[in-house]
Amino acid sequence: MGDRPAWVYLLECADGTLYTGWCYDLMARLAQHNAGRGAKYTRSRCPVTLRWSEPCIDRQAAMRREAAIKKLKRPEKLKLMTSEELASMPGVNWKNLREEHPEPTEGIAGHVREILIGLGEDPEREGLQRTPERVARMYAELTEGYHVDPVKLINDAIFEVDYDEMVIVQDIDYASLCEHHTLPFLGRAHVAYIPGGKVIGLSKIPRIVEMYAKRFQIQERMTNQIADFLMEHLDPRGVGVVVEGQHMCSMIRGVRQPNSLMVTSAMRGLFKKDPRTRAEFMALLDRRR
Ligand SMILES: [Zn+2]
């Protein structure tokens, strides 16, 4: 003990292989890998993408965990990236980790435990025993948009075409976290653009929405970010984004407006300049209501 919290992580390399490592500062380490200064293995396989990470109480715990994961076969590693339940993974045992370190106050799980205590709860009672770890993993999942590499996300999905009609993707479900209260807000996003020589694979637009939703957000900024991302990478003649959201923080607390729907929009290029384009987009959205 006495050491700092550390991370175990899995990277996906440019050739599709997986690399397991540990570090103290996850983002700095990721940057090192991508600068070719990380590990011999990743040096020739850049760029790498962070696929999974897990906080450990200290260096020793991280190294043990790394060794256990290195023994896993690829399908097991892939499963780990999406798994909820750590204890069900071979070679992984949170319980041992906790027994060795009876007071895991470092790291997110430790802080969640402190919150429970601060609120007058008993984190040792049956229903709460694994809650701190669950909440820590839940936050990791709900904020995984921070770790998506946007360039890789749209890689190979942009095509040159001679098409200049409006492209619309409607009813994209999203869930985000309000950065003021850390409570969810969720709803649907509608995205339209008019190509300027390039189009993007339609399935990528929901992924772009998700990348910006899965982090601490405010709806207005998320709406702008989606529009700006498409403007930057597609260089279209215009982009229109409309986002509808129900905010738990106003539904279940404070002023309590259980039915309020917040609508935000971001218009760029033709959608901003040309009222007819904007009207066409809005009419298409209205029609389904
Ligand atoms: Zn809020």
Side-chain angles (χ1 to χ4, degrees), residues 7-103:
W7 295 87
V8 190
Y9 58 89
L10 277 167
L11 302 177
E12 185 180 335
C13 302
D15 62 358
T17 58
L18 301 174
Y19 173 84
T20 314
W22 80 272
C23 65
Y24 286 115
D25 184 334
L26 200 52
M27 287 302 115
R29 186 66 180 155
L30 185 61
Q32 276 181 350
H33 277 295
N34 274 327
R37 290 182 282 105
K40 207 172 145 198
Y41 186 84
T42 55
R43 206 173 301 156
S44 56
R45 293 173 173 85
C46 288
V48 299
T49 311
L50 182 63
R51 285 290 175 227
W52 175 86
S53 63
E54 182 184 280
C56 293
I57 216 134
D58 60 15
R59 174 172 174 266
Q60 274 202 325
M63 289 173 76
R64 257 201 318 275
R65 184 85 168 104
E66 181 198 26
I69 292 171
K70 279 192 167 163
K71 286 188 195 136
L72 299 179
K73 298 201 170 68
R74 183 181 166 91
E76 293 170 323
K77 288 180 186 169
L78 293 174
K79 191 178 160 203
L80 180 62
M81 292 180 197
T82 53
S83 72
E84 275 272 326
E85 297 299 318
L86 278 172
S88 65
M89 290 304 300
V92 175
N93 198 329
W94 265 98
K95 239 181 180 172
N96 287 349
L97 203 65
R98 292 196 52 186
E99 275 159 19
E100 251 176 78
H101 305 285
E103 288 172 359

Side-chain angles (χ1 to χ4, degrees), residues 183-184 247-258:
L183 282 173
H247 293 243
M248 292 304 146
C249 58
S250 63
M251 292 169 74
I252 63 173
R253 55 157 293 288
V255 289
R256 291 204 197 189
Q257 292 179 310

Side-chain angles (χ1 to χ4, degrees), residues 178 180-181 249:
C178 129
H180 299 139
H181 303 93
C249 58

Side-chain angles (χ1 to χ4, degrees), residues 47 149-159 200-201 204 229 233:
D149 177 347
V151 175
K152 184 149 191 199
L153 176 66
I154 55 169
N155 238 357
D156 305 331
I158 293 185
F159 311 98
I200 185 166
K204 294 293 180 180
F229 183 89
H233 293 278

